[in-house]
Amino acid sequence: MTDKDKTIERAASEPSTEKQEEPGMNLGSADGGEPTEGSNLLSSSEKTPQETPTRSSHLQRLRQTFARRACRLLVGIVEDVIMDFLPWAVVWSVTIGTVLPGVNSFGIIILLFFASLGYELFWLIKLPTLPPLPGFLGAMLAGFLIRNIPVISDNVQIEHEWSFFLRSIYLSFALVYVGLQLDSEALKKLTGVCGRLAVGPCLVEACASALLAHFLMGLPWQWGFILGFVLGAASPYVVTRSMHLLMEEGYDVKGVPTLLQEAEDFSDILVITGFNTCLGIAFSTGSTIFNVLRGILEVITGVATGSLLGVFIHYFPSSDQRVLDWKRIVLVLGFSVLAVFSSVYFDFPGSRGLCTFIMASLAGVGWTRNKAEVENIIIFAWNMFEPLVFGLLGAEVSVASLRPETVGLCVATLGVAVLIRILTTFLMVCFAGFNIKEKIFISFAWLPKATVQAMLGSVALDTARSYGDTQLEDYGLVVLTMAFLAILITAPIGRLLISLLGPKLLQKTKRKDEEDQGEPSEQV
């Protein structure tokens, strides 16, 4: 090839090389080369919003968060108001002219409305680092205000028979639920520390309260023990709910929360049986020996009847039928309500508690695998009645009928009885494998009172009103005042102590993920 041909070929290849280098030169000018003024302005305008977020975006997010929470709160309040107002509207539309101020049905619906409203409002009160207040306090205070505001109390009237009827249904639901929670493992543990914890503190507190009521307030011995058994039970609602919160956080060392829940069920049954027996003795005529034998007969009758009904529900309906859960619910609730009201009709009040409890416990043994749905429905019905029952208790207390000396003696009796209960509980859990911190926690966990006091607080007063004896009504008013003050004082304080002392006195157990990784459990 000649030099002329090589020159021509080199000239032909130069343009293509320049064309390939142009994109590289452009990229170099944009990335690695010297940037132009326009590229600097463009890059700065793109990077500035991403690197430093403005305050307006944070404020907008906060506004959106508060707006969502406010909307949820408003929607919840509107739903509760409508759900409480709708039954009154439906009943009024069906029976126009009867659901009016001063009528019994009007009073029940208005009390249900304000009790439910107070129940929800107290749950919304949340203080930093403190547990929420129990909702039933709001329901009880709502009933108390309805009774003691002149204009409202004149138009909201509830007959005592209806009040007794609603509380008895609530008692049936509570006894059925406690009986269904019982299992064979709990029965085996009853002989040990669980048995001492279930029997010892409530009996000692009941006897101490009876002595104080007899010598300080001048109550007869029968009424002193009625008052003592009203105070003898702790609240399964407050204790169980607080224990669940601790168990969710991992505080279940040596089964302390489980032990308290199991012992509480037996303690409630013992207190209800003792209360009904003493109530029958107080209103019966005859010699003391005859009344004691009658009380024993009521207990035997309740155990026998409950066993027969429990065995029947254990096998009927059979497990191969349709809608099995609803059939079981109808049977167990129907028989429990029948037992509660028929015991009153036949003048055997001491048998209703044991009958319902034993029936439900025997039925639950046969429903070991399929009783969860039944329990959920009973819990739903129980929660529906709870605001109304606590509202009824508050509506029974009138400021005009309260005497300062009676209130002072009730508070003094309550304080001494609770102190004796705490010391007794500490002694009952000794030599059971607990350390000193766990013993202190168990002792204070038995402090709150609510559910049993709401069910039994006004029963003695209603029974006295049926006899028309003013002296007996005064005794029943003292028992009612004691139940009201016990709930008002011990429920919030007890829940607060359980929530604060639990993390300080108990230790956290290992979670599953920590056990798999071999990490040590966190101790508080």
Side-chain angles (χ1 to χ4, degrees):
M1 181 179 295
T2 61
D3 295 337
K4 184 177 181 179
D5 294 335
K6 291 181 179 180
T7 304
I8 295 172
E9 184 178 358
R10 190 180 300 112
S13 61
E14 286 177 358
S16 62
T17 304
E18 293 176 357
K19 291 181 181 179
Q20 293 176 359
E21 291 178 354
E22 286 179 0
M25 294 298 293
N26 293 335
L27 292 172
S29 63
D31 298 334
E34 295 181 358
T36 61
E37 183 178 358
S39 63
N40 288 333
L41 294 174
L42 180 61
S43 61
S44 62
S45 62
E46 291 178 351
K47 294 181 180 179
T48 302
Q50 297 178 357
E51 292 178 355
T52 57
T54 59
R55 294 183 178 179
S56 60
S57 61
H58 290 291
L59 292 176
Q60 187 175 3
R61 291 178 183 176
L62 290 175
R63 290 174 183 174
Q64 292 177 356
T65 303
F66 284 115
R68 291 174 184 174
R69 293 182 179 179
C71 290
R72 291 176 184 174
L73 179 60
L74 180 61
V75 169
I77 293 176
V78 171
E79 289 178 355
D80 293 335
V81 171
I82 293 176
M83 291 296 293
D84 294 331
F85 175 76
L86 189 59
W88 176 83
V90 171
V91 175
W92 177 82
S93 63
V94 174
T95 59
I96 298 177
T98 58
V99 188
L100 296 175
V103 184
N104 182 67
S105 55
F106 177 84
I108 293 176
I109 294 175
I110 293 298
L111 180 61
L112 175 62
F113 171 76
F114 285 103
S116 301
L117 185 61
Y119 192 94
E120 296 295 334
L121 289 177
F122 264 60
W123 274 117
L124 295 177
I125 300 175
K126 295 182 180 180
L127 301 176
T129 68
L130 295 179
L133 293 173
F136 56 77
L137 285 179
M140 188 175 67
L141 292 177
F144 179 77
L145 292 176
I146 289 175
R147 173 64 184 274
N148 294 280
I149 297 177
V151 178
I152 299 178
S153 61
D154 295 337
N155 295 314
V156 178
Q157 300 290 333
I158 300 176
E159 298 177 0
H160 300 299
E161 292 79 6
W162 275 92
S163 179
F164 173 76
F165 172 77
L166 295 172
R167 285 196 307 273
S168 299
I169 294 179
Y170 181 74
L171 176 63
S172 303
F173 292 161
L175 292 174
V176 169
Y177 177 70
V178 171
L180 290 178
Q181 282 190 324
L182 183 67
D183 54 8
S184 58
E185 296 297 330
L187 286 174
K188 295 178 182 179
K189 296 177 182 179
L190 185 62
T191 56
V193 62
C194 183
R196 298 198 303 268
L197 197 61
V199 177
C202 68
L203 289 183
V204 172
E205 185 181 12
C207 294
S209 301
L211 289 173
L212 294 172
H214 178 73
F215 290 106
L216 290 182
M217 292 183 282
L219 294 181
W221 284 110
Q222 299 91 334
W223 283 91
F225 278 98
I226 289 174
L227 184 144
F229 280 113
V230 169
L231 292 181
S235 171
Y237 177 85
V238 178
V239 174
T240 302
R241 193 175 184 89
S242 301
M243 290 299 104
H244 277 302
L245 293 177
L246 292 177
M247 292 172 69
E248 290 176 358
E249 296 177 2
Y251 298 100
D252 195 14
V253 177
K254 301 179 183 178
V256 172
T258 306
L259 172 67
L260 292 177
Q261 293 179 27
E262 292 176 354
E264 181 62 33
D265 296 338
F266 294 99
S267 177
D268 292 341
I269 297 303
L270 179 62
V271 166
I272 293 173
T273 303
F275 172 83
N276 290 326
T277 303
C278 293
L279 186 68
I281 294 175
F283 288 97
S284 62
T285 56
S287 62
T288 304
I289 299 177
F290 174 78
N291 293 333
V292 172
L293 294 176
R294 179 185 176 87
I296 297 174
L297 179 62
E298 291 180 0
V299 173
I300 296 175
T301 303
V303 172
T305 307
S307 301
L308 292 176
L309 294 177
V311 171
F312 176 79
I313 301 177
H314 181 87
Y315 294 102
F316 297 96
S318 58
S319 58
D320 58 347
Q321 295 188 15
R322 297 181 179 179
V323 293
L324 180 62
D325 295 333
W326 285 102
K327 290 183 179 180
R328 287 175 171 175
I329 291 170
V330 170
L331 285 177
V332 71
L333 291 183
F335 279 128
S336 64
V337 174
L338 178 63
V340 169
F341 285 98
S342 61
S343 62
V344 177
Y345 178 79
F346 290 107
D347 200 14
F348 266 55
S351 62
R352 57 181 178 179
L354 277 176
C355 177
T356 306
F357 171 73
I358 293 176
M359 177 195 66
S361 60
L362 291 178
V365 171
W367 304 344
T368 52
R369 297 182 179 179
N370 301 319
K371 66 178 182 179
E373 186 65 26
V374 178
E375 289 181 351
N376 292 334
I377 296 176
I378 292 176
I379 290 174
F380 175 78
W382 188 2
N383 293 333
M384 290 292 293
F385 271 85
E386 188 173 49
L388 180 59
V389 171
F390 280 93
L392 288 171
L393 177 65
E396 291 284 350
V397 180
S398 175
V399 176
S401 60
L402 294 179
R403 292 175 295 181
E405 59 273 13
T406 302
V407 176
L409 291 175
C410 287
V411 173
T413 302
L414 176 63
V416 175
V418 167
L419 180 61
I420 294 175
R421 181 189 181 91
I422 292 174
L423 296 177
T424 305
T425 305
F426 184 85
L427 295 176
M428 292 298 167
V429 294
C430 290
F431 308 103
F434 299 108
N435 56 40
I436 186 66
K437 292 183 179 180
E438 292 165 352
K439 293 176 184 178
I440 294 174
F441 174 78
I442 295 173
S443 302
F444 282 97
W446 286 103
L447 179 61
K449 306 177 184 298
T451 309
V452 177
Q453 287 72 26
M455 291 186 295
L456 305 179
S458 58
V459 172
L461 179 59
D462 293 338
T463 308
R465 287 169 177 169
S466 63
Y467 280 81
D469 192 336
T470 57
Q471 184 63 47
L472 296 179
E473 290 182 10
D474 292 338
Y475 296 155
L477 184 61
V478 173
V479 176
L480 173 65
T481 305
M482 180 66 76
F484 179 81
L485 294 175
I487 298 173
L488 190 63
I489 295 173
T490 62
I493 296 177
R495 182 158 191 170
L496 180 64
L497 288 176
I498 293 175
S499 302
L500 295 180
L501 295 180
K504 294 182 180 180
L505 300 179
L506 298 180
Q507 296 177 346
K508 277 190 175 181
T509 55
K510 290 183 178 180
R511 297 181 180 178
K512 292 183 179 180
D513 55 352
E514 294 179 352
E515 292 177 355
D516 297 337
Q517 298 176 4
E519 296 178 0
S521 61
E522 182 181 0
Q523 295 184 357
V524 179

